[in-house]
Every structure is written in structure tokens, then in C-alpha cells.
Amino acid sequence: MTALNEMTADALKALHARLEQDYASLKARGLKLDMTRGKPAPEQLDLSNGVMTMPGNRDYFTASGEDARNYGGLQGLPELRALFSQVLDAPPAQIVVGNNSSLAIMHDCLAYAMLFGVPGGTGAWSKEKDIAFLCPVPGYDRHFGLAEGFGFRLIPVPLTGAGPDMDVVEKLVADPAVKGTWCVPKYSNPSGETYSAETVARLAGMKTGAADFRIMWDNAYALHHLSDARPPLANMLEAATEAGHGERVLVFASTSKVTLAGAGLAMLAASPANIAWYLGHAGRRTIGPDKLNQLRHLRFLRDAAGIAKLMEGHRALIQPKFDAVAKIFRDKLGARDVARWSEPEGGYFMTLEVPEGTASRVVALAKAAGVALTPAGATHPYGRDPQDHILRIAPTYPSLADVSAAAEAVALCTLLAACEKRLAA
Amino acid sequence: MTALNEMTADALKALHARLEQDYASLKARGLKLDMTRGKPAPEQLDLSNGVMTMPGNRDYFTASGEDARNYGGLQGLPELRALFSQVLDAPPAQIVVGNNSSLAIMHDCLAYAMLFGVPGGTGAWSKEKDIAFLCPVPGYDRHFGLAEGFGFRLIPVPLTGAGPDMDVVEKLVADPAVKGTWCVPKYSNPSGETYSAETVARLAGMKTGAADFRIMWDNAYALHHLSDARPPLANMLEAATEAGHGERVLVFASTSKVTLAGAGLAMLAASPANIAWYLGHAGRRTIGPDKLNQLRHLRFLRDAAGIAKLMEGHRALIQPKFDAVAKIFRDKLGARDVARWSEPEGGYFMTLEVPEGTASRVVALAKAAGVALTPAGATHPYGRDPQDHILRIAPTYPSLADVSAAAEAVALCTLLAACEKRLAA
């Protein structure tokens, strides 16, 4: 195979004609595949089927003898906070375990900030004229949508492979209107990168114009290894605390991709002042979380070793899917030199970088052939990728056969769109 | 026994001396009883122990074949909405089933109103200088605390035995700053009264100064009968819709006191526009509720008959406690003519109305004797009962023996405080 940009016009035309034929055959197959969302596959959920009959008959007492069926326990079961303390690297007293959605805890933190303000701030954010939030790109569409929903001005910041470009970040946060940043620091959604120790140190120590700046540290994939590389992630909360900015960091995590996507547990870890602030507002909102589901998780996960074993089970199921997609991209796209993709060491996503201006075309071509992809632009603020070149690939949910068929289709559509672009040039 | 106000000064002094002796004996017993909160007793929670092993092995498919373990399903399982449709008297499409706390749904409705505004309004409530909310008294402290937390001005409105005094309400709501009212329309917390058809009709039809007025209709005790009287409650949502004010009503309910207090399901019923509004904001906050707990409830409750049977079980356990308290109040306080109390036909509470200015003294006396009562004033906005005369009695949680001991203690403290007041006069 020849690189596209080294082909003669005639060769390009011939290739295009062949790809058109291949695409017609692809359409004729009548595929119906969905690679839009980072959902665990049914076999992954099966790993946690043990919870389906838990906590079990008459097993409703917490370690301290409280009846988990009744009201109360706003901060979450102490014994569960002790377990998650090992995952979150924060003391149990600085952890809140809630219900099933970490996005909901992020939402509530921002809603409380808007309505009431945060520790270190001067009042409700909603009283301020302009609030901006940094959005490392490519990033998670639900993060950006949440901030957009609150009316924040979204500022894209490029990711470097070791986290956001800190030179850019440090300049931007000098503006007091910039109140915070999103971060998915480990196996980032969707680039797969892990923030370097230097990035963490600079985020912890940087001077911000806003005294009440918040780092929304969504450590969603802390445990989600796809290789033995396991790049380390420095402890953001500790680093910020040591730098005198302990209030800056809000750490989020969940078991949505550990146990059950819709019925897991979400967590918040933060400084004592932030935890007191959160609980103060959450205590008006609810009497407490579903402690039976917390007990269920405690019985099922048991300890850190139980969690690690479960995560190995996930890896065994999804690593082959990531490998298959990467192999197909290498085989079909490699020598053509039209695209780059991530081969992540963990997480739930790959990025596929296609020629500028062709990402939407690839999505449209795939859709017409029965393969649903996350919309082009979803990885950027306001759903707009100015270069129209980043695709998010979510290999976990479909079966290995389906994900391979989908990857073949995506590779074909990528190549076809690239050909079209060159021919039109 | 003679009524206190008919006693001679000497007789009163003699009674006071005897009561002081009785109180000293009470203290010597070293009781440790808690009547502060409306929590179900362990035996009530036992009625729902069936859910502890549900939904059961491999039972995770919804009626439409969706995998309830995975993400999604923001509005709640359709089959569960169909079941609750019979309880809420609203179409399934106009119901949302969420997680475990109806207070949380109320909070979120008000938070969305503050941040974004509501259908029929002109924008975010937080942009307005003054927001007031009506608080029928005696009422639920968490309702008042929620509204106070949002900075609303709380206006008490007297309850009449058939709901709030509508002459007062109609005058107050003419003020555009008055944005809404709390209501616990059936077996009200704590008075036990049920709103009359006339009250419902007037709430539905009244002219409000605020175009975006909201009735927070917390139908928490819809199914919680304590007698066969079962006073009917008119359908508020229908009545308001017929009066052209469908957007006015937000109906809340939960299974917290049907199945498990901390691990039940909360619901919202409202007009199509309000449901779309709520889901629009909730969809930014979360990908969906814990559908496994919804499935658990569906399997356990089965149908309307299953719910009714369960509620009969609750009644069998708690009616004797209410009866015991009422009998003790009658025996100890009746002829003294110093107090009035409710003997509710449903719900979770009784009110005890003591002589003006003595409610806090009764609570303090009881506390010193080891009986914890809800703080005097808790039933009023800002925790202040200007007449200091209403106590909320929560008989459900303690055992029958304990609740009887507590009621004896409360009666004694009430009488002692009343004596003290008369002697001081």
C-alpha cells in the first residue's frame, strides 16, 4: 500500500473507485452496530452478577450496627469509605460515597457553587457576569455539556499526551473569570493519556486569578488498565494541599465501570473544608444515599484485592477488542498515512485522528452503512471541533466480532473520505 | 381529675409537688427513648426483606428487553411508571421514577428553578431580588429547611384541618414574589389532616401574582392509612390542568415508607411541559437512575394489590402505637384540659398542642428524662413557633412498650410544664 499523498492522480482515482465498490458492499451487508458510547458489554456486567442477590437475607447491618435499610448516613458507610480510601488515595473522612452517578455529584458541586459559592470564594458564582471553564480537548461530552448548561464559557485547551498544555493553562487561569477546569487524569476520555507528574505539580501549584478555582478531577478510569504498563498518576489532592491549594481539587470516581454501569456507586474526595461544604448542601437535599447498595458493593468487592481481581476480569474481556481495532487500523490505514489513532494503556476509548475536515464525513458514511459513531465534534466544547478531525472510538460494548466489523467499516470510511478530500483538492 | 384552670391555688401547688415527685421517679428510670424522627420501625422494614435478594440471579431485563444493569433510562422503567401511575393518578408518560429520595427531586426542581427558571416563567429565579414561599404550619422541617437554604423568604400559613387557610393563601399569592407553596396534602406531616376537595379546587384555580407559581405537592403519605376512614384526596394535577394551571403542580412521592426508608424509590408527576423541563436538566446531571433498584421494587411490589397488602402490614404494626399514645394522652391529659392532640387517620405523626410558651419546656423536661423529642419550633419556618405550643410526636420507630413509656413521659412533662406556667402567672 502507498501513502495517499504519494499517489498519482490516476492511482488515487483508481483507489477511490475501488473504495466506492467496497463501500457499496459494506452497505449491502446491512450492519447495525453501535460504537457511540463507552458502555460496558453484557459479559462485563456479568462479572458483577453476584450483587443481584445481595446483600442477602437479613444482611442489613453496617459494621457499626446501623440498620442500612433505614434513613441516614449522608456521607456513606464508613467501612466502604475505608475501602475506597485505598482507591482514591484519600482519608475515609475526606470521602463521600453517594448513589449511582458521579456525573450527578459533579453537577451538584457546580450547582452548589452557582447557588451558594464555594470555600475560598466570595459568594454564589451565579452572581458573576462571566464564568469560564477550561476544557482539555479531546474530552468528555457530558463534562462539557454540564458546564455549558450552567452557562459557563467553555475554553478548549489542547492535550499533549501528558495532560493539558500547561503553558496554555497557566496563562488562561490568570483570568479571574476562569473558575475551573475539567480533567480526566488517567486513561483520559477519549485520548487515553495519563497526566504526568509535572502536569499534576503545575496544576497543583499554579497561580489562579480566581481564589475559588476548582479542578474537576474525574478519575473515572483509575483502575481500568488495558496493559501491564500502568502509568502512575500523582496524587492531585495531596499535591494541591502541599502547595497550599487543598480547596482547589474535587476528585470524582465511581464503580460504574467496575461493577454495574447503572447501579454502581459514585464518590467524591476532597479537602475537609470542601467535604463539609458538600455535605452541608447535600444534607438539605437528601437524608442519605442508598446504603443497601453500598452494603451490596461492600459484600461483593470485599477488599482492594477483590476490586483488582474484578478489574483483571474486565481487562480480559475488553483488551482483545482494543487490540482488534488497533490491528485493523494498522492493517487498513497504516501504510496509507491518512490517520493516527491512540493505542491506550487503559480506559474505555480510542481516538482516531482523520484528515482535517473529514471527521463528520466519516461519521456520515459509517452511519449510512449502519455503524453508529459518536458525532464528530462531541469531544470538543459546544460539540464543535474546528478542525473536524477527531473521532472517539468506543470498542467496549459490541462483541469482538461486531467491534471488528465496525472497525473495518470505520477504516474504510476514513480512507474513502480522505480520498474524496484529496480528489476535491 | 380536675381541669387545671379550675383548680384552686393550693390544689395546683399540691399537684405540682406530686408531678415533681413523679418526674424525679421518671428521671430515675434512666430512659433512653427517641421520638424525634418519622422513621419506620425495624419490623416495618422487615416487611420488605424480600428485596434483599432481588432482583435475583440473571433477572436484569426490563419488560422491553433492556439490560437494567447498564446505563440509561432517565425517566425510569416504563412498567414501574405504569404501576405508580395507579398510586399517583397520573399517566405513566407524566411520571419520573428516580433514586431513593423524593426530597432530592424536590431540591432539584427548586435548584433548576433557581438556576434556569421554569416553564411559564421569565428566567432564573436566582435573578429575582425576593422570592417567598408559603409554609403551611405545622409542617415538615426538611421542606422549610430546603426553601430557607435557597434563600427564600418563608411565610407561615395556618392549617385548618382541611388544608391551609385558603383565604390567607389567596391573599398572599397575589404578591408576585410568592413563587410557591409547600403542601403535604394527605395525612399531613405532622397534623395528619387531609386537604378537602374545596382546598384542592381553590389551590388549582387561584390567581397568582407569579406566572410561574409552583405547588410542591408532597404526597408522601398517600397510602399510609391508620384507619378505615380513608378520606379521599382530590387529584391536584388534574384539577390544576382543568383550571388552566397544569404547570403549577409538581407532585412528589416515594416508597421510603412503603418498602425501605433509605433504599426506596422517589417519584415526580407533573404536566408534560414540566416533565420535559425536569428531564432536560436531569439529563445533564445523570445518565439515569439505579434501574436495578427499580426492577427490585417491581418484582417485590408486583401490582397495586401487592402495594395495598404491604400497606396493611405497616398499619398492623404502627396503628397500635398511635392508639397507645392517644390513650395515654386521653388518660393523663384529657380531664386536665391542658392539651390537644391529633388522632390521625393516617401518616406518621401526631401533633400535641400544649399551653402557649411551654413546648420548649416540655422538650427540655423530656430530654432531661431521657426522651428525645423533635425540637419545639421544628414544625415552623426558621424553626420558630411564635406561640411555642406545637410538638411533633413520631410514634412509629420505637417499640410499643417504648412508645408507651415515651408517651407517659411526654404527658407528665406536659402537665408539669403547664402547672409551672400557671403557678408563675
Side-chain angles (χ1 to χ4, degrees):
Chain A
M1 288 197 293
T2 320
L4 232 60
N5 63 1
E6 291 168 5
M7 290 176 89
T8 62
D10 282 350
L12 202 62
K13 274 182 202 157
L15 174 62
H16 182 256
R18 217 164 58 234
L19 292 171
E20 288 263 287
Q21 279 186 335
D22 293 350
Y23 182 69
S25 311
L26 174 69
K27 277 174 92 169
R29 287 178 63 192
L31 294 178
K32 202 170 182 310
L33 302 173
D34 191 338
M35 293 236 288
T36 55
R37 303 304 313 179
K39 290 164 66 171
E43 311 82 57
Q44 289 180 266
L45 300 170
D46 287 346
L47 297 175
S48 295
N49 273 347
V51 305
M52 302 293 290
T53 54
M54 288 185 175
N57 280 321
R58 308 203 72 80
D59 180 7
Y60 44 74
F61 288 106
T62 69
S64 66
E66 300 273 328
D67 188 333
R69 302 171 302 176
N70 223 321
Y71 288 115
L74 185 63
Q75 196 171 350
L77 300 186
E79 56 269 39
L80 195 65
R81 289 189 276 116
L83 171 57
F84 289 146
S85 165
Q86 300 170 59
V87 176
L88 291 162
D89 263 329
Q94 286 174 239
I95 293 175
V96 176
V97 183
N99 280 335
N100 70 323
S101 166
S102 58
L103 193 66
I105 302 183
M106 297 174 216
H107 170 280
D108 291 354
C109 284
L110 294 177
Y112 300 152
M114 284 292 282
L115 290 165
F116 313 112
V118 299
T122 54
W125 288 9
S126 64
K127 303 291 180 208
E128 300 185 25
K129 281 218 179 85
D130 175 33
I131 291 181
F133 234 71
L134 304 188
C135 299
V137 289
Y140 179 35
D141 52 355
R142 290 188 192 270
H143 283 168
F144 301 162
L146 196 51
E148 189 184 351
F150 285 118
F152 301 169
R153 182 162 51 86
L154 308 184
I155 305 175
V157 173
L159 284 163
T160 62
D165 185 326
M166 286 307 301
D167 293 341
V168 174
V169 169
E170 284 164 351
K171 266 185 209 123
L172 288 168
V173 301
D175 177 357
V178 176
K179 286 287 200 183
T181 184
W182 292 108
C183 294
V184 184
K186 189 149 190 178
Y187 307 138
S188 194
N189 171 358
S191 70
E193 71 198 77
T194 297
Y195 289 19
S196 68
E198 191 204 330
T199 301
V200 170
R202 289 175 72 177
L203 283 167
M206 67 190 180
K207 280 196 183 145
T208 60
D212 52 356
F213 188 90
R214 286 297 180 274
I215 296 174
M216 304 289 282
W217 194 255
D218 184 3
N219 205 355
Y221 307 104
L223 307 165
H224 302 64
H225 314 294
L226 286 169
S227 84
D228 295 326
R230 312 206 170 186
L233 174 67
N235 188 320
M236 183 73 226
L237 187 54
E238 266 180 28
T241 305
E242 279 161 23
H245 300 134
E247 263 63 274
R248 177 179 291 179
V249 182
L250 298 169
V251 179
F252 307 95
S254 83
T255 71
S256 294
K257 285 161 184 139
V258 176
T259 56
L260 299 173
L265 299 176
M267 294 151 242
L268 167 69
S271 73
N274 278 333
I275 292 294
W277 164 82
Y278 178 83
L279 291 175
H281 294 297
R284 283 211 169 91
R285 184 179 181 272
T286 179
I287 308 177
D290 181 342
K291 296 186 301 300
L292 275 190
N293 205 34
Q294 301 199 353
L295 213 52
R296 227 170 256 130
H297 275 73
L298 195 67
R299 299 291 183 261
F300 178 69
L301 296 172
R302 292 168 181 270
D303 50 27
I307 297 175
K309 186 159 169 261
L310 182 55
M311 295 317 296
E312 283 304 314
H314 284 292
R315 176 181 167 184
L317 290 166
I318 64 177
Q319 192 186 337
K321 298 180 183 180
F322 281 82
D323 289 349
V325 173
K327 182 174 187 314
I328 288 163
F329 286 174
R330 273 196 303 271
D331 291 351
K332 304 285 174 177
L333 299 173
R336 297 295 185 193
D337 198 21
V338 290
R340 288 185 301 175
W341 55 92
S342 59
E343 299 193 13
E345 293 167 336
Y348 258 58
F349 300 99
M350 298 169 71
T351 45
L352 177 64
E353 195 183 329
V354 299
E356 269 198 46
T358 70
S360 333
R361 176 66 180 154
V362 173
V363 172
L365 284 167
K367 187 181 178 187
V371 177
L373 296 176
T374 313
T379 56
H380 283 61
Y382 309 110
R384 287 194 307 263
D385 169 6
Q387 296 170 274
D388 189 26
H389 74 319
I390 299 286
L391 292 174
R392 184 178 86 161
I393 307 291
T396 56
Y397 186 76
S399 68
L400 182 58
D402 282 354
V403 90
S404 300
E408 297 266 4
V410 170
L412 173 58
C413 296
T414 298
L415 214 47
L416 181 53
C419 261
E420 288 172 354
K421 188 191 170 192
R422 283 199 71 78
L423 286 171
Chain B
M1 286 197 293
T2 320
L4 233 59
N5 62 1
E6 291 168 5
M7 290 175 88
T8 63
D10 283 349
L12 201 63
K13 275 182 201 158
L15 175 62
H16 181 255
R18 216 164 57 233
L19 292 171
E20 287 263 286
Q21 279 186 335
D22 291 350
Y23 182 69
S25 310
L26 175 68
K27 276 174 92 169
R29 287 178 63 192
L31 294 179
K32 203 170 181 317
L33 302 173
D34 191 337
M35 292 235 289
T36 55
R37 303 302 317 177
K39 289 163 66 170
E43 310 82 57
Q44 290 180 266
L45 300 171
D46 287 345
L47 297 175
S48 295
N49 273 348
V51 304
M52 301 292 290
T53 54
M54 288 187 176
N57 279 322
R58 309 203 72 77
D59 180 7
Y60 45 75
F61 287 106
T62 70
S64 67
E66 299 274 329
D67 188 332
R69 301 171 304 176
N70 223 321
Y71 288 115
L74 185 62
Q75 195 171 351
L77 299 185
E79 54 269 41
L80 195 65
R81 290 189 274 116
L83 171 57
F84 289 147
S85 166
Q86 301 170 59
V87 175
L88 291 161
D89 263 330
Q94 285 175 238
I95 292 175
V96 176
V97 183
N99 280 335
N100 70 324
S101 166
S102 58
L103 193 65
I105 302 183
M106 297 175 217
H107 170 280
D108 291 354
C109 283
L110 294 177
Y112 300 153
M114 284 292 282
L115 290 165
F116 313 113
V118 299
T122 53
W125 289 9
S126 64
K127 303 292 179 208
E128 299 185 25
K129 282 222 177 81
D130 176 34
I131 291 181
F133 235 71
L134 304 187
C135 298
V137 291
Y140 178 35
D141 52 356
R142 289 188 193 270
H143 282 167
F144 301 163
L146 195 52
E148 188 185 351
F150 285 118
F152 300 170
R153 184 161 50 88
L154 308 185
I155 306 176
V157 173
L159 284 163
T160 62
D165 185 325
M166 285 307 300
D167 292 342
V168 174
V169 168
E170 284 164 352
K171 267 184 209 125
L172 287 168
V173 300
D175 177 357
V178 176
K179 285 288 199 182
T181 183
W182 292 109
C183 294
V184 184
K186 189 149 192 179
Y187 307 139
S188 193
N189 171 359
S191 70
E193 71 199 77
T194 297
Y195 290 19
S196 68
E198 191 204 331
T199 301
V200 170
R202 289 175 73 178
L203 284 167
M206 66 190 181
K207 278 195 185 147
T208 61
D212 53 355
F213 188 91
R214 286 297 180 276
I215 296 175
M216 304 290 281
W217 194 253
D218 184 3
N219 204 356
Y221 306 104
L223 306 165
H224 302 64
H225 313 294
L226 286 169
S227 84
D228 295 327
R230 311 207 171 187
L233 175 67
N235 188 319
M236 183 72 225
L237 187 55
E238 265 179 30
T241 305
E242 279 162 22
H245 301 135
E247 264 63 275
R248 177 178 291 181
V249 182
L250 298 169
V251 179
F252 307 95
S254 84
T255 70
S256 294
K257 285 162 183 135
V258 175
T259 56
L260 300 172
L265 298 176
M267 293 151 243
L268 167 69
S271 72
N274 277 334
I275 292 293
W277 165 82
Y278 177 83
L279 290 176
H281 295 298
R284 283 212 170 92
R285 184 180 181 271
T286 179
I287 307 177
D290 181 342
K291 296 187 301 301
L292 275 191
N293 205 34
Q294 302 199 352
L295 213 52
R296 228 170 255 131
H297 275 73
L298 196 68
R299 299 291 183 262
F300 178 70
L301 296 171
R302 291 168 182 269
D303 51 27
I307 297 176
K309 187 161 170 258
L310 182 55
M311 296 316 296
E312 284 303 315
H314 284 292
R315 177 181 167 183
L317 289 167
I318 64 176
Q319 192 187 335
K321 298 180 182 180
F322 281 83
D323 288 350
V325 174
K327 183 174 187 313
I328 288 162
F329 287 173
R330 273 196 302 273
D331 292 351
K332 304 285 175 177
L333 299 173
R336 297 295 185 191
D337 198 22
V338 290
R340 288 185 301 175
W341 55 91
S342 59
E343 298 192 13
E345 293 167 334
Y348 257 58
F349 299 99
M350 299 169 71
T351 45
L352 177 64
E353 195 183 328
V354 298
E356 268 197 46
T358 69
S360 332
R361 176 67 180 153
V362 173
V363 172
L365 284 167
K367 187 181 177 187
V371 177
L373 297 176
T374 312
T379 55
H380 283 62
Y382 309 109
R384 286 194 307 262
D385 169 6
Q387 296 171 273
D388 188 27
H389 74 320
I390 298 287
L391 292 174
R392 183 178 86 162
I393 306 292
T396 55
Y397 186 76
S399 68
L400 183 57
D402 282 354
V403 89
S404 300
E408 297 267 3
V410 170
L412 173 58
C413 296
T414 298
L415 215 47
L416 180 54
C419 260
E420 289 171 354
K421 187 190 170 191
R422 281 198 71 80
L423 286 171

